[in-house]
Amino acid sequence: MSITAAMVKELRDKTGAGMMDCKKALAENNGDMEAAVDWLRAKGIAKADKKSGRTAAEGLVAVASEGKSAIVVEVNSETDFVARNDGFQDLARSVAAVALSTDGSADAVSAATVPSTGKSVTDTIKDAIAHIGENMSFRRSAKLSVDDGVVATYVHNAVADGLGKLGVLVAVKSTGKTDALNAIGRQVAMHIAATNPLALTSDDVDAAIADRERHVFTEQARESGKPEAIIEKMVEGRMRKFYEEVALLSQAFVINPDQTVGEAVEAAAADAGAPVEIAGFVRFQLGEGIEKEESDFAAEVAAAVKG
């Protein structure tokens, strides 16, 4: 496969590795971008790319809650200018409010009726596009509920109540005092906003992700030239550390690094007056996973001049 300059640039942007290293990595892996990233990591040339994609879409993340249930939605716009518009903010807030009465699935939210317009979310957004003059879309949603306890919410750097570019929900199961549950839930939500854990516990980490890390750690260990028995122990040690770093309950709590999140939750039982359990969480960051097409303005001008 031919390795293009664009491919080398993309790999450099992902890993920060040098041009020749990137070119070699792509050549060794037949142009496979993800395999090239792992190859560079195994060689100690690049760190893991923790981003699912360059954040490119504009718009807002909105949350809405009613104690034992909460929802987070993402509504996109083309520009940040429109995202700061009062009309767009009202739209995002309305979508979150009506979404709370659904099961939280994207299809259900899209079809739900917005009281202020009497139309579905999809049609309400279409009308807003005609009014504001910029393309907009409802992208995704997620809902958490508990039978006993609360679902705490947090919006990082909120631009308005319940609106921002990063929103978190945390389901807290307990029969304890609501105020205490909301307090620990919000602290855990702030932690999640900062650390972006992959899963609640190590058992919940996606097997494909764990296998990929194990492969990289194994290749790194083999670079040391040590015997296989030693390599196996090295890999197991690194995997334990990996799980500690990506599983929420085993992470060092950002508010008190002397505790893990799990230990902090257990300690919260004293204030709540009952055992406390984190049952789940959702973290939405605006535009994550969406690749923005980057244009080369100089190349566009040159092409236009050539006709």
Side-chain angles (χ1 to χ4, degrees), residues 71-242:
I71 196 153
V72 57
V73 303
E74 180 178 347
V75 183
N76 295 132
S77 62
E78 287 184 61
T79 64
D80 184 55
F81 177 77
V82 164
R84 297 195 302 267
N85 177 284
D86 288 342
F88 183 83
Q89 292 183 6
D90 288 342
L91 174 65
R93 197 178 284 113
S94 295
V95 172
V98 71
L100 193 55
S101 64
T102 73
D103 64 7
S105 67
D107 287 344
V109 174
S110 297
T113 300
V114 178
S116 61
T117 65
K119 298 181 179 181
S120 68
V121 165
T122 297
D123 288 339
T124 298
I125 290 177
K126 285 180 181 177
D127 289 346
I129 292 171
H131 176 69
I132 296 176
E134 180 172 304
N135 190 33
M136 290 173 275
S137 65
F138 159 65
R139 183 185 176 206
R140 56 179 174 157
S141 55
K143 185 178 182 180
L144 292 180
S145 300
V146 292
D147 292 328
D148 292 305
V150 303
V151 179
T153 67
Y154 172 67
V155 176
H156 184 64
N157 287 342
V159 297
D161 187 33
L163 300 174
K165 296 192 175 184
L166 197 165
V168 180
L169 310 180
V170 178
V172 185
K173 286 178 63 176
S174 177
T175 57
K177 300 172 187 174
T178 300
D179 287 349
L181 300 182
N182 273 316
I184 186 62
R186 181 174 172 80
Q187 287 184 337
V188 172
M190 293 171 69
H191 170 97
I192 292 167
T195 64
N196 193 14
L198 294 181
L200 183 63
T201 70
S202 58
D203 290 339
D204 299 320
V205 175
D206 187 288
I209 293 174
D211 288 345
R212 179 177 174 181
E213 292 302 307
R214 184 179 294 277
H215 173 74
V216 170
F217 291 151
T218 300
E219 292 304 309
Q220 288 176 338
R222 284 190 176 133
E223 293 282 324
S224 68
K226 290 182 170 60
E228 283 295 318
I230 301 298
I231 288 173
E232 187 174 338
K233 290 181 180 179
M234 291 171 65
V235 171
E236 289 307 316
R238 290 176 183 178
M239 286 301 295
R240 281 195 298 272
K241 183 170 178 57
F242 165 72

Side-chain angles (χ1 to χ4, degrees), residues 254-305:
V254 293
I255 294 171
N256 178 8
D258 292 332
Q259 291 180 307
T260 64
V261 173
E263 289 168 345
V265 171
E266 287 182 17
D271 289 334
V276 179
E277 176 190 349
I278 302 300
F281 69 90
V282 176
R283 181 185 187 274
F284 273 15
Q285 184 163 356
L286 179 69
E288 61 192 346
I290 299 177
E291 293 285 345
K292 184 177 181 181
E293 290 186 10
E294 296 182 8
S295 61
D296 185 333
F297 184 67
E300 288 180 9
V301 172
V305 169

